[in-house]
Amino acid sequence: EVQLVESGGGLVKPGSSLKLSCVASGFTFSSYGMHWIRQAPKKGLEWIALIYYDSSNKYYADSVKGRFTISRDNSKNTLYLEMNSLRSEDTAMYYCAKSPVRRVSFDYWGQGVMVTVSS
Amino acid sequence: DIQMTQSPPVLSASVGDRVTLSCKASQNINKNLDWYQQKHGEAPKLLIYYTNNLQTGIPSRFSGSGSGTDYTLTISSLQPEDVATYYCYQYNSGPLTFGSGTKLEIK
């Protein structure tokens, strides 16, 4: 059974940093692209970052480019999102999601982790 | 960026109704479109990929169609468990974008 479990969220002040983790199980993690997607309270979904299976390519939404970094450790079956210079508008539920082969869809999602940026 | 416009924002229908949700892209997305269902308090779930392909485990009352800029999700016979917000999503070109969602309610 595919499982994605996020952690690392919490309440932080504007301008601070936070690192999210997503531990994967039930599939060969090193073979699939992975994403971070977020959802602000009572708002829609926003894709924010993609990393290829081998970390050869990374892509970001303009809203987080230069502030957030996606990475992965295939030996630990873990996806990361390092978030710097956090703003109030970064307050959201953050989901990690797995891509199927040859398609940039999201076939499995984690349960999400909440990040709140507030003074 | 490709904008995805979903209509209507809220849809109220009765159990057993045939329901159609619409999604319009700001440019041709070559059928590179998925539909996701998000129930209250849960993570989204993939329903339909590449316009009209049913994800494994999804009931056959869900179907998708479309081409070019116009896409639809159809539920052939609405069930109480289908209450959710439905999002379309395009992956034809970056940045990857979702529609704003259609909230489906039971009348």
Side-chain angles (χ1 to χ4, degrees), chain A residues 35 37 39 43-47 61-62 95 103-107 109-111, chain B residues 1 34 36 38 42-46 49-50 55 87 89 91 95-96 98 100:
Chain A
H35 303 258
I37 297 148
Q39 186 171 35
K43 299 294 186 184
L45 300 167
E46 180 188 17
W47 169 83
D62 286 346
Y95 297 99
R103 189 161 33 90
V104 192
S105 296
F106 317 112
D107 57 356
W109 297 63
Q111 84 287 353
Chain B
D1 297 6
D34 295 344
Y36 294 84
Q38 186 177 32
E42 297 183 5
K45 178 167 66 174
L46 177 61
Y49 62 92
Y50 194 59
Q55 176 69 354
Y87 294 94
Y89 155 78
Y91 51 95
L96 309 175
F98 289 90
S100 55

Side-chain angles (χ1 to χ4, degrees), chain A residues 66-119:
Chain A
R67 299 188 301 123
F68 289 12
T69 301
I70 189 171
S71 62
R72 64 192 296 161
D73 185 337
N74 286 344
S75 69
K76 295 182 178 179
N77 287 353
T78 303
L79 176 73
Y80 302 101
L81 185 69
E82 186 157 11
M83 304 184 292
N84 298 318
S85 304
L86 282 161
R87 307 165 179 167
S88 59
E89 54 265 36
D90 296 318
T91 294
M93 183 72 78
Y94 285 74
Y95 297 99
C96 66
K98 169 188 167 292
S99 264
V101 174
R102 289 191 300 276
R103 189 161 33 90
V104 192
S105 296
F106 317 112
D107 57 356
Y108 291 94
W109 297 63
Q111 84 287 353
V113 62
M114 188 68 200
V115 173
T116 303
V117 184
S118 174
S119 54

Side-chain angles (χ1 to χ4, degrees), chain B residues 4-79:
Chain B
M4 305 298 289
T5 302
Q6 291 189 242
S7 60
V10 180
L11 179 58
S12 185
S14 301
V15 172
D17 282 355
R18 181 180 182 86
V19 171
T20 299
L21 286 63
S22 296
C23 178
K24 186 174 184 68
S26 59
Q27 62 191 72
N28 182 7
I29 57 170
N30 299 300
K31 297 189 173 184
N32 291 309
L33 178 122
D34 295 344
W35 290 94
Y36 294 84
Q37 176 194 63
Q38 186 177 32
K39 296 183 179 180
H40 182 69
E42 297 183 5
K45 178 167 66 174
L46 177 61
L47 296 178
I48 302 282
Y49 62 92
Y50 194 59
T51 294
N52 57 8
N53 295 271
L54 196 65
Q55 176 69 354
T56 302
I58 301 301
S60 59
R61 64 180 181 273
F62 291 93
S63 64
S65 64
S67 62
T69 61
D70 295 308
Y71 298 84
T72 59
L73 173 69
T74 299
I75 306 173
S76 61
S77 177
L78 185 65
Q79 300 302 304

